[in-house]
Amino acid sequence: MENLTFNIYTRTADLPNSWDEVAKSNHFLQTPYLKVLEDSAPTNMQCFFIGIFKNSRLIGVSLAQYLNVHQLESFGEREKCFKTTIRNFIFKNFASHVLFLGNNMITGQNGYAFSEVIDFSSISDVLVQSAQTLVTYFKEKQVNIHLVSFKDFYENCSVELKEHHFSSLYEFNTQPNMIFNLPTSWKTESDYVAAFSKKYRDQFKRAHKKIEGIEVRELDVNEVIHHEEAIYNLYHYVAQNAPFNTFFLAKNHFSTFKKQCGSRFRICGYFFEGRLVGFHSLLLNDNVLETYFLGYDETLQKEKMLYLNMLYNMTKFGIEHGFEKIIFGRTALEIKSSIGATPVQMSGFIYHTNAIVNKLIPKLFKRLEPETAWQQRHPFK
């Protein structure tokens, strides 16, 4: 790591002046978003901002997140079985203090950015050294980090990282990231619908028929504040019923996000008889549209096909605003493939700080990772 050094910050107010210029390739490493994390991170999360310097000049930025699983109210309540009970026991007792290098709240390669070309040997070295520094930081506070995870790398990067300082780490692949690469020829929702085969065009029409009576509109910052409690309750219901969670958002997260990031963060509300019954949110990251958290009223979800309509509406927004692709994340793989998203495998790297447990990581991880059987759909002609 020739001439490279790093500094770890806990407050955005202390970041170097050139931080946002170095992070310009990714809005979610820039200070407005980092301040969202600072002001409204999940209660069991602490964030660290890593500046990487070459000859005292800032050339790279990175993000780390510490999670205390002991503070988590639930890992997710949808799946009740013996395997899940064992998994939860192991997480609480052997993986309750977790350090992520990267962003555990967003799917995709959002862990670092550089203002100049840096070789993968140096990138892997600085990430590993940053992690080791944070492990020591917590040890001095009588907190023993159990797991260290380097999160979300596309295949071209993971292959390179494995050649260097990640070579001794366990590489894992969880559920794929569902990504919709939008054809440049599509300019309107009509272009999108016209590309469907008859079966999926009928699905689109049926979903739009079902949602009649629901008013859908984007919320401004004052409306987000006004509906904050309802938004959180709708989000929390969906999150609590997910197969697995490592955090729950703070109750002021959505309003804080909207205040800090303005038009880069969009929340769309779904109203039935004047009552908020659902919402979806989007992150605008240059030419990439990233879907964020959503929520819905379960009593209306099936009847109104709320979730499917949200997927269509997010796709419509992406097409009409000229985005190159939409990142839909790792949940609900089959229904996302039915609207056009395709699976892209991403890798993470992980190690346990206990040498004995670390040797067991390959076997343990495969046994504890929730399995999802799904069939990819191919909706286009």
Side-chain angles (χ1 to χ4, degrees), residues 303-349:
E303 176 192 345
K304 298 294 185 180
M305 298 178 75
L306 285 175
Y307 183 69
L308 181 56
N309 276 291
M310 288 178 184
L311 296 178
Y312 285 134
N313 289 338
M314 290 186 276
T315 301
K316 178 183 178 182
F317 184 94
I319 293 167
E320 293 183 349
H321 288 79
F323 288 93
E324 290 183 5
K325 61 184 175 183
I326 306 173
I327 295 181
F328 279 104
R330 288 194 169 96
T331 58
L333 308 179
E334 191 161 324
I335 193 171
K336 286 173 180 174
S337 73
S338 80
I339 61 99
T342 55
V344 175
Q345 199 65 59
M346 301 195 76
S347 292
F349 296 86

Side-chain angles (χ1 to χ4, degrees), residues 31-204:
T31 51
Y33 174 73
L34 299 184
K35 190 153 177 55
V36 175
L37 297 181
E38 184 178 41
D39 294 344
S40 66
T43 54
N44 68 325
M45 178 184 287
Q46 184 179 355
C47 296
F48 298 87
F49 318 118
I50 304 166
I52 303 163
F53 299 84
K54 183 177 182 180
N55 299 324
S56 302
R57 179 172 55 88
L58 185 73
I59 63 157
V61 301
S62 186
L63 173 66
Q65 296 173 332
Y66 160 69
L67 283 172
N68 183 348
V69 172
H70 275 306
Q71 296 177 7
L72 198 64
E73 61 184 272
S74 164
F75 282 110
E77 298 178 0
R78 192 177 78 190
E79 296 177 4
K80 306 272 189 188
C81 64
F82 180 71
K83 180 178 177 180
T84 302
T85 303
I86 294 297
R87 182 197 68 193
N88 292 352
F89 172 81
I90 291 175
F91 267 97
K92 286 232 172 186
N93 290 277
F94 299 99
S96 58
H97 299 288
V98 186
L99 180 66
F100 287 95
L101 270 289
N103 193 334
N104 195 42
M105 298 172 68
I106 303 175
T107 302
Q109 194 166 306
N110 296 293
Y112 62 81
F114 287 89
S115 58
E116 57 185 70
V117 176
I118 301 295
D119 62 87
F120 280 97
S121 176
S122 296
I123 292 173
S124 59
D125 192 9
V126 75
L127 291 178
V128 168
Q129 286 199 33
S130 299
Q132 290 170 346
T133 299
L134 285 167
V135 169
T136 301
Y137 165 86
F138 279 103
K139 194 169 186 178
E140 290 170 353
K141 294 179 175 290
Q142 280 77 54
V143 175
N144 289 319
I145 297 293
H146 294 135
L147 285 173
V148 177
S149 179
F150 302 86
K151 184 179 181 287
D152 280 358
F153 299 96
Y154 291 109
E155 185 179 9
N156 63 316
C157 290
S158 64
V159 168
E160 292 283 352
L161 291 167
K162 280 189 294 185
E163 294 295 316
H164 302 288
H165 299 275
F166 281 22
S167 60
S168 63
L169 308 182
Y170 174 66
E171 181 183 8
F172 64 91
N173 306 108
T174 56
Q175 295 176 21
N177 186 4
M178 299 302 289
I179 298 179
F180 197 163
N181 292 296
L182 300 175
T184 54
S185 59
W186 291 354
K187 305 299 180 186
T188 66
E189 184 179 56
S190 297
D191 296 329
Y192 168 54
V193 176
F196 280 135
S197 64
K198 183 179 185 304
K199 174 182 176 181
Y200 291 96
R201 193 161 55 248
D202 288 345
Q203 174 183 280
F204 177 89

Side-chain angles (χ1 to χ4, degrees), residues 52 60 103 162 177 179 183 213 239 249 251 253 257 259 273 279 288 302 320 336 350 361 364:
I52 303 163
N103 193 334
K162 280 189 294 185
N177 186 4
I179 298 179
L249 296 175
K251 292 189 176 181
H253 183 74
F257 209 144
K259 288 174 192 173
E273 297 177 347
F279 77 94
V288 177
K302 268 190 178 177
E320 293 183 349
K336 286 173 180 174
I350 195 168
I361 283 286
L364 284 172

